[in-house]
């Protein structure tokens, strides 16, 4: 799902630490082709696009003070997909308000109730260099070639060891069969 994370290896590189995660699951009840049709979808930039929409009757309803949604199980019911649609059009504000406590509360509000749900088929990729984020969270020394201290891990004849880059890539695809997602 993520075919490449680095472009090349520099002579000064001492090591790469690469962590990967993959999720590949089919819906407990997949969508029939008759449940897929073109429809309008308003994206985060408030642009309306024609996309393939998946329509289904779902039995796990979620309602919070500021959103409605549903929970849809994957095969074996060990995992589930949660879709939430905010009541207001401010999707960015809603996303900023999401906390682990809010999501936990939303999951605790799931009620058995049949309802009709429409969701777009979609795929999305995201990439970010995390250096500035990690520095702002309190670890600037690790990126400073003159201050970093990784001597308990390794020593290089070429100079002090420090973190050059922390890269993050993600991918997700949700369609009539299920969900595929990966992160590196």
């Amino acid at each position: 799902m993520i075919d490449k994370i680095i472009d090349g290896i520099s002579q000064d590189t001492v090591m790469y630490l690469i962590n990967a995660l993959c999720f590949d699951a089919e819906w407990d009840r997949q969508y029939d082709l008759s449940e897929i049709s073109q429809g309008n979808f308003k994206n985060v930039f408030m642009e309306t696009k024609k996309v393939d929409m998946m329509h289904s009757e779902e039995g796990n309803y979620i309602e919070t003070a500021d959103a409605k949604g549903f929970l849809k199980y994957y095969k074996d019911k060990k995992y589930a997909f949660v879709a939430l649609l905010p009541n207001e059009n401010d999707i960015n504000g809603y996303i900023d308000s999401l906390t682990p406590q809010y999501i936990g509360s939303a999951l605790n509000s799931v009620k058995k109730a049949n309802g009709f749900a429409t969701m777009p088929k979609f795929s999305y990729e995201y990439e970010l260099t995390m250096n500035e984020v990690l520095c702002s969270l309190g670890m600037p020394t690790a990126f400073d070639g003159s201050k970093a201290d990784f001597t308990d891990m390794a020593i290089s004849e070429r100079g002090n060891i420090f973190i050059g880059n922390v890269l993050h890539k993600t991918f997700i695809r949700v369609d009539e069969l299920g969900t595929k997602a990966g992160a590196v």
Side-chain angles (χ1 to χ4, degrees), residues 1 23 27 31 36-38 41-44 49-54 70 72 74 81-84 118-126 170-182:
M1 287 178 256
F23 180 81
W27 299 121
Y31 293 87
I36 301 169
S37 64
Q38 285 278 298
F41 179 77
K42 191 179 288 187
N43 66 22
V44 72
K49 305 271 185 176
K50 283 273 191 208
V51 299
D52 284 340
M53 300 294 273
M54 302 180 293
F70 66 95
K72 183 176 182 69
Y74 295 103
F81 180 91
V82 174
L84 295 170
T118 298
M119 175 173 68
K121 289 172 55 171
F122 68 91
S123 66
Y124 185 74
E125 295 179 45
Y126 179 75
T170 60
F171 168 84
I172 186 170
R173 181 175 66 228
V174 176
D175 61 23
E176 67 275 10
L177 303 177
T179 301
K180 290 187 179 201

Side-chain angles (χ1 to χ4, degrees), residues 52-70:
D52 284 340
M53 300 294 273
M54 302 180 293
H55 312 279
S56 61
E57 188 172 331
E58 299 297 337
N60 298 293
Y61 179 71
I62 299 172
E63 186 169 1
T64 68
D66 46 2
K68 292 179 179 68
F70 66 95

Side-chain angles (χ1 to χ4, degrees), residues 118-136:
T118 298
M119 175 173 68
K121 289 172 55 171
F122 68 91
S123 66
Y124 185 74
E125 295 179 45
Y126 179 75
E127 182 175 347
L128 178 68
T129 300
M130 301 282 298
N131 296 29
E132 287 183 29
V133 173
L134 294 169
C135 285
S136 72

